[in-house]
Amino acid sequence: MNKEIAKIAKMYDQDVLFVASYAHMRKDEGQNEWKYVDSEAEEVDLYILNMAQRGDIVVTQDTGLASMLIGKGVYVLSPRGKYYNKEDMDQILFFRYASAKERRAGRYPKGGPSSFSENDRQNFKESFVKLLSNLKGI
C-alpha cells in the first residue's frame, strides 16, 4: 500500500509522510519520508493527531483517530478506499463501541474481517486519485 500512496501522491506533486513506531521500522524506505515514534500504545495516533493540519490527507483504519482528524478538517481515507466523513462518524463509532463490548463479553464474530483483497487495493487507489484530483481542481 505504501508504494501506491507514494506513486499516486507523486503524480499530484504531494508530499508524503509515513508514520510508524520504532517497533515497525522498515529497511526499504526508499525515497519516502518516514517518521518513527515511540512504541507505546497510541503514540503513532497521537503524533498524527498533533501534526495533521486542516486540508491534510490521512490514511488510517482507526475509526477513533479518523473521528478526531475529521474534527480538525483533515480528509481521512481508509486503506480499503472508504472516505470517513462527519455525518457517518456517530454510527461508525457506535458500531466500534458495540463490537468492543461484545468482544469483552466473550462473544466474537466468526471469521473476523475479510482479508485485504486486490479489489480493496483498487478501491483505495481510485478513491485516493479522486480525492487528490478534487483537491487539485482537476
Side-chain angles (χ1 to χ4, degrees):
M1 179 69 62
N2 296 345
K3 290 178 183 176
E4 287 94 341
I5 291 171
K7 181 179 178 183
I8 294 168
K10 185 176 183 177
M11 290 172 24
Y12 289 88
D13 196 30
Q14 294 294 303
D15 294 330
V16 176
L17 173 65
F18 294 102
V19 182
S21 71
Y22 287 114
H24 295 98
M25 281 187 94
R26 300 174 55 101
K27 294 180 181 182
D28 61 339
E29 294 175 359
Q31 300 298 316
N32 301 312
E33 185 176 350
W34 283 81
K35 173 66 179 172
Y36 292 103
V37 297
D38 288 337
S39 297
E40 299 297 318
E42 310 303 328
E43 288 294 326
V44 170
D45 293 351
L46 289 172
Y47 180 85
I48 293 169
L49 185 60
N50 288 327
M51 297 307 291
Q53 298 177 18
R54 176 177 292 282
D56 285 349
I57 300 170
V58 172
V59 177
T60 184
Q61 62 188 13
D62 185 318
T63 55
L65 176 60
S67 176
M68 292 183 282
L69 289 168
I70 288 169
K72 291 181 69 171
V74 174
Y75 298 97
V76 184
L77 186 62
S78 82
R80 294 178 189 255
K82 179 189 181 343
Y83 293 106
Y84 290 111
N85 61 57
K86 194 172 192 171
E87 295 75 29
D88 296 336
M89 286 315 298
D90 284 344
Q91 181 179 2
I92 290 168
L93 291 174
F94 177 77
F95 180 74
R96 176 184 170 201
Y97 163 78
S99 296
K101 190 174 177 181
E102 289 295 305
R103 285 191 303 276
R104 284 192 302 273
R107 295 183 287 271
Y108 301 98
K110 292 185 178 187
S114 60
S115 298
F116 190 78
S117 69
E118 188 55 40
N119 190 45
D120 292 327
R121 184 178 308 280
Q122 190 61 37
N123 286 339
F124 171 79
K125 291 190 305 190
E126 290 172 7
S127 295
F128 192 39
V129 165
K130 184 177 179 182
L131 178 57
L132 287 170
S133 295
N134 289 340
L135 293 176
K136 287 286 190 175
I138 299 173

